[in-house]
């Protein structure tokens, strides 16, 4: 199978570039990135040299790769492998850090590999939905899922402590959300708009309640 790689800037999340590639013979020589990478191998196995060690990235594993970390990569055997990446700009990462942790900046993160097949599966499906936008899932559902999964992922690294969110939406907040959705049903509704109606940040809104795709 011929090697291929595709990149797409997310329509829903400014500062996010989505990559999907299929490699069999291609070898990544030692290199580093300028942005923050979250990588998933969804099929096959990638062998990677990182910090003087050899890592095998398999389906169900999630790699976090900060800027400046030198590494390489090649198929671990004769078979090809599929790689999906979320590439976060420094501005996007800092914004997520402020929302999730409540701090001004995202805490410094080193490279890490998280073994969680359930979370990896959710991230792979989110990757597909973001690449398919606007014909895929609605923007509210995608943005809510994005914050929820990133919260779970960074908490698993044990380097980020999410801010505590107490309680749920009040009846008045729910009413404002439902009325807004009824009026703007035929339009693109964003998580930022709904959060502003409730005088909350997006992360607070997603932690207070699971926001449906069309506010129903």
């Amino acid at each position: 199978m011929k090697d291929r790689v595709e990149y797409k800037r997310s329509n829903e999340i400014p500062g996010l570039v989505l990559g999907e590639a299929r490699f069999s013979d291609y070898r990544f020589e030692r290199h580093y990135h300028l942005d923050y990478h979250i990588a998933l191998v969804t099929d096959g196995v990638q062998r990677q040299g990182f910090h003087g060690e050899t890592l095998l990235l398999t389906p169900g594993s999630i790699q976090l790769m900060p800027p400046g970390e030198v590494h390489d990569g090649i198929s671990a055997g004769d078979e090809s492998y599929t790689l999906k990446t979320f590439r976060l700009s420094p501005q996007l990462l800092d914004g997520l850090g402020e929302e999730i942790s409540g701090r001004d900046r995202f805490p410094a993160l080193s490279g890490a590999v998280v073994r969680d097949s359930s979370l990896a599966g959710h991230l792979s499906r989110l990757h597909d939905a973001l690449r398919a936008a606007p014909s895929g899932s609605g923007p509210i559902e995608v943005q809510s899922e994005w914050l929820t999964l990133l919260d779970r992922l960074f908490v698993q690294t044990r380097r980020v402590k999410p801010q505590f969110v107490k309680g749920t939406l009040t009846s008045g907040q729910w009413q404002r959300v439902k009325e807004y959705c009824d009026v703007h049903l035929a339009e693109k509704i964003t998580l930022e708009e709904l959060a502003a109606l409730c005088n909350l940040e997006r992360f607070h809104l997603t932690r207070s309640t699971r926001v449906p795709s069309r506010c129903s």
Side-chain angles (χ1 to χ4, degrees):
M1 180 180 294
K2 186 177 180 181
D3 292 346
R4 64 174 179 83
V5 59
E6 300 174 357
Y7 296 107
K8 179 183 178 182
R9 292 190 179 277
S10 171
N11 295 324
E12 305 298 340
I13 303 171
L16 176 65
V17 175
L18 303 158
E20 183 167 6
R22 183 77 175 177
F23 295 121
S24 55
D25 300 323
Y26 184 77
R27 178 188 182 95
F28 288 97
E29 300 298 335
R30 288 173 60 79
H31 66 287
Y32 62 88
H33 305 294
L34 298 178
D35 46 13
Y36 190 91
H37 280 212
I38 300 171
L40 310 164
V41 171
T42 58
D43 181 58
V45 182
Q46 184 197 66
R47 185 174 71 244
Q48 186 181 106
F50 181 62
H51 282 188
E53 299 181 356
T54 298
L55 299 177
L56 294 179
L57 300 180
T58 60
S61 61
I62 308 161
Q63 184 172 48
L64 309 182
M65 183 66 72
E69 295 279 10
V70 178
H71 59 288
D72 60 19
I74 192 173
S75 174
D78 296 332
E79 302 297 326
S80 58
Y81 68 95
T82 301
L83 180 68
K84 294 181 179 181
T85 57
F86 299 84
R87 302 176 176 220
L88 289 69
S89 70
Q91 295 80 9
L92 174 58
L93 187 64
D94 283 344
L96 285 169
E98 184 174 353
E99 285 195 86
I100 294 174
S101 68
R103 301 176 183 176
D104 292 338
R105 291 182 57 81
F106 204 96
L109 295 174
S110 57
V113 176
V114 175
R115 310 285 182 181
D116 187 327
S117 58
S118 175
L119 180 55
H122 283 299
L123 284 169
S124 179
R125 290 188 288 275
L126 173 64
H127 189 282
D128 293 342
L130 286 168
R131 290 188 73 221
S135 59
S137 299
I140 299 173
E141 183 179 30
V142 168
Q143 292 169 3
S144 178
E145 190 77 354
W146 166 253
L147 287 176
T148 299
L149 293 179
L150 266 289
D151 173 36
R152 284 180 56 190
L153 177 60
F154 290 133
V155 167
Q156 284 204 36
T157 67
R158 300 184 183 277
R159 297 180 179 91
V160 178
K161 183 177 180 180
Q163 56 181 311
F164 178 69
V165 177
K166 182 180 180 180
T168 60
L169 294 185
T170 66
S171 58
Q173 289 171 323
W174 264 119
Q175 187 63 31
R176 288 197 295 273
V177 167
K178 291 178 179 179
E179 290 176 353
Y180 185 87
C181 290
D182 288 341
V183 172
H184 300 85
L185 188 61
E187 303 172 19
K188 175 181 175 180
I189 301 173
T190 68
L191 196 61
E192 288 89 344
E193 292 168 338
L194 299 186
L197 288 173
C198 301
N199 294 316
L200 298 173
E201 298 292 338
R202 294 185 310 168
F203 181 72
H204 280 205
L205 181 62
T206 58
R207 291 297 292 268
S208 297
T209 183
R210 181 65 172 171
V211 180
S213 59
R214 296 307 299 176
C215 313
S216 58

